[in-house]
């Protein structure tokens, strides 16, 4: 692990201390988990932007055709049978 050090507002420090006490974890663990989740969020946003810029590959489009299949038959009598 690498040591990081940073400054926070007093109210954020109090909130972090309160939450870590309520959760029964160290403040360091609270910050590690929060940072990890935020970095994951940022990375997912980057991935979404990349998907918008690049066309989907043929393998990624393989299920597009079945999107419009709909029911394969007359199911009108099914709702009566279920009663």
């Amino acid at each position: 692990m690498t040591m990081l050090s940073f400054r926070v507002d007093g109210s954020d420090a109090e909130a972090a201390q309160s939450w870590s006490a309520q959760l029964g974890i160290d403040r360091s663990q609270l910050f590690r988990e929060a940072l990890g989740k935020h970095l994951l969020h940022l990375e997912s946003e980057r991935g979404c932007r990349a998907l918008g810029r690049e066309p989907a590959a043929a393998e990624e489009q393989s299920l597009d055709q079945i999107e419009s299949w709909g029911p394969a038959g007359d199911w009108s009598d099914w709702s009566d049978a279920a009663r």
Side-chain angles (χ1 to χ4, degrees), residues 5-56:
S5 179
F6 55 94
R7 297 186 184 279
V8 296
D9 289 335
S11 60
D12 289 342
E14 290 175 15
Q17 185 62 45
S18 174
W19 276 109
S20 64
Q22 289 177 51
L23 296 171
I25 59 176
D26 291 335
R27 231 181 10 193
S28 295
Q29 182 179 351
L30 181 75
F31 288 131
R32 276 193 306 273
E33 291 177 8
L35 177 60
K37 288 178 182 182
H38 187 67
L39 293 173
L40 182 62
H41 173 77
L42 292 173
E43 196 60 40
S44 68
E45 286 182 348
R46 178 189 293 169
C48 288
R49 285 191 303 273
L51 285 175
R53 288 189 307 266
E54 301 171 13

